[in-house]
Amino acid sequence: MKKFFKSHPPRILLSRVDNIGDVILTLPMASVLKQHYPDCHIVFMARDYVRDIIRSYPMVDEFLSWNELESATPEQAAKRLKQLNLDLFVHVYPKEVIAKLAAKAKIPYRVGTIRRTYHYFNCNRWVPLRRNRTNLHEAQLNLQLLTPFGIKEKPTLEQLIPRVKLTPPATPLPLDIAQLLDKNRFNLIVHPLSNNNGKEWPLAYYIQLINSLPPNRFNVFVTGSTQEVSALTPLISQCQKAHVICGKLDLAQFLTLIQQCDGLLASGTGPLHMAAAIGIKALGLYPPPMDIDPVRWGPLGPQAEFLVKPSSCFKRCLHPGTRSCPCMDAISVAEVRSVLERWASIN
């Protein structure tokens, strides 16, 4: 890569301004860049709510708030980008307004996919990347954006696992929640909903599962956002032995809770990827259609697993307005409980 950059060390920005899971699966790009150019300075631009994720990843040197740039005028935002003295801007998550800002800031190298018309006018390096209908994982697809600079690695998922490792800084838990942890039982986080970002296992199944777990072996925490509390009302009322802490932790505290628990159960949503990257046991529940299945979005972690069932209801699975479908219903409570009991037996 040295031949591409005039400055030493080069300054590189990775732009991914969508969701937690997407951001985590982008982090291996920073690790690969550091491997090829150890003294490069990596800036990660994302939304404020994932700041603590970026702080937990040592390969990223600086966080840039997209919220701040988005609220500024185009002139102010471009000026802020220019002040970073960047050599390379990688549009991992394509967004027209960001592509225009990077071009306005006259960043020397601007990489985007050829599938976005606005990249033709605002980028000067293009990658023929197709994210749909592929057998590659999202973390593998992201690395293809580095090919214009001689990085043509095609790591396996096993090789990517250490590159996604999160090491959150110590953040104290609220005392009332910290006191709920039990070193003599398997501390399990159950995160039933996905903030409307994916397919979900039926809430009735979660209720049945939680109530079937032996309370002398499992200590269950139910998590979610404040906005999801009303949707979780049936579970809250029927699972009296579970600790419902929805909306009681910020992201830094949630990362600490994950570190101090033994396992996490969720659909393919952000907390699943957080748990997998931190290194605890993590079980994801997925639908089977290509592009939303675990082949594309599976959790990366040394103790991460997933369950998925084949089904013929693909059209319904892919319907954007439907959070549940028979594909998810086909994953039985007994199958999920079997995994959790296996975890507890070897913990």
Side-chain angles (χ1 to χ4, degrees):
M1 289 177 65
K2 290 184 180 180
K3 65 180 181 180
F4 293 104
F5 304 111
K6 295 180 180 180
S7 67
H8 185 85
R11 298 175 60 84
I12 301 167
L13 187 147
L14 303 175
S15 173
R16 184 101 204 203
V17 298
D18 45 352
N19 301 312
I20 288 176
D22 307 89
V23 166
I24 290 174
L25 297 180
T26 301
L27 294 176
M29 295 182 72
S31 176
V32 171
L33 283 164
K34 290 282 188 180
Q35 176 186 342
H36 283 259
Y37 210 75
D39 56 354
C40 70
H41 182 90
I42 295 181
V43 180
F44 201 110
M45 185 169 76
R47 296 194 178 276
D48 284 339
Y49 83 105
V50 302
R51 185 188 299 265
D52 290 306
I53 298 288
I54 306 305
R55 288 177 60 225
S56 303
Y57 194 70
M59 296 295 176
V60 172
D61 302 292
E62 184 177 349
F63 175 84
L64 179 64
S65 168
W66 168 236
N67 296 74
E68 293 180 8
L69 291 189
E70 189 176 30
S71 62
T73 66
E75 291 72 22
Q76 292 171 331
K79 181 179 179 180
R80 175 72 180 100
L81 286 178
K82 202 160 190 174
Q83 290 171 342
L84 292 172
N85 295 316
L86 298 168
D87 299 283
L88 169 61
F89 193 112
V90 185
H91 295 280
V92 188
Y93 179 75
K95 196 172 179 67
E96 185 172 8
V97 63
I98 296 178
K100 290 180 177 179
L101 286 176
K104 189 177 183 69
K106 297 182 180 180
I107 296 166
Y109 292 101
R110 305 180 301 279
V111 181
T113 68
I114 62 173
R115 295 178 59 79
R116 305 285 174 168
T117 303
Y118 53 81
H119 281 169
Y120 280 104
F121 301 100
N122 297 289
C123 295
N124 53 20
R125 293 293 184 276
W126 302 273
V127 177
L129 175 60
R130 294 179 62 92
R131 291 187 183 270
N132 60 334
R133 313 304 295 176
T134 175
N135 288 320
L136 292 177
H137 192 276
E138 179 73 4
Q140 295 170 316
L141 290 168
N142 290 335
L143 292 176
Q144 293 184 15
L145 290 165
L146 302 179
T147 55
F149 301 92
I151 298 179
K152 299 182 180 180
E153 294 184 18
K154 296 182 179 180
T156 64
L157 294 185
E158 290 73 19
Q159 291 170 329
L160 283 173
I161 285 173
R163 295 188 181 277
V164 79
K165 175 68 176 175
L166 294 179
T167 53
T171 302
L173 289 174
L175 184 60
D176 61 330
I177 293 177
Q179 291 176 336
L180 297 175
L181 291 162
D182 188 345
K183 64 179 181 180
N184 296 315
R185 291 187 291 167
F186 189 93
N187 294 289
L188 174 68
I189 298 171
V190 176
H191 194 87
L193 304 182
S194 63
N195 200 27
N196 295 324
N197 287 323
K199 302 304 177 183
E200 297 169 357
W201 206 42
L203 195 62
Y205 287 21
Y206 279 108
I207 295 170
Q208 183 182 343
L209 172 72
I210 291 171
N211 287 332
S212 71
L213 295 175
N216 63 319
R217 295 176 62 200
F218 288 91
N219 187 32
V220 179
F221 294 83
V222 177
T223 59
S225 67
T226 303
Q227 294 74 23
E228 291 172 331
V229 170
S230 60
L232 289 170
T233 298
L235 185 151
I236 295 170
S237 63
Q238 296 180 55
C239 299
Q240 300 292 330
K241 294 180 180 179
H243 308 301
V244 180
I245 57 173
C246 300
K248 295 184 178 181
L249 302 175
D250 59 27
L251 186 59
Q253 293 169 329
F254 191 28
L255 287 164
T256 295
L257 178 68
I258 292 173
Q259 280 183 306
Q260 296 185 13
C261 283
D262 303 297
L264 180 143
L265 167 67
S267 59
T269 188
L272 173 70
H273 294 286
M274 290 161 60
I278 286 173
I280 70 167
K281 296 177 176 65
L283 177 61
L285 308 178
Y286 284 83
M290 182 177 284
D291 298 333
I292 59 173
D293 64 351
V295 173
R296 171 75 181 277
W297 294 104
L300 295 181
Q303 299 191 86
E305 304 180 41
F306 60 81
L307 290 174
V308 60
K309 285 286 190 178
S311 178
S312 59
C313 63
F314 289 171
K315 289 185 179 180
R316 185 176 173 189
C317 283
L318 292 170
H319 192 280
T322 307
R323 287 192 295 173
S324 63
C325 71
C327 293
M328 296 295 282
D329 298 355
I331 302 173
S332 72
V333 171
E335 289 175 294
V336 176
R337 187 174 64 241
S338 177
V339 175
L340 301 182
E341 289 177 341
R342 167 166 53 82
W343 286 357
S345 68
I346 62 177
N347 196 55

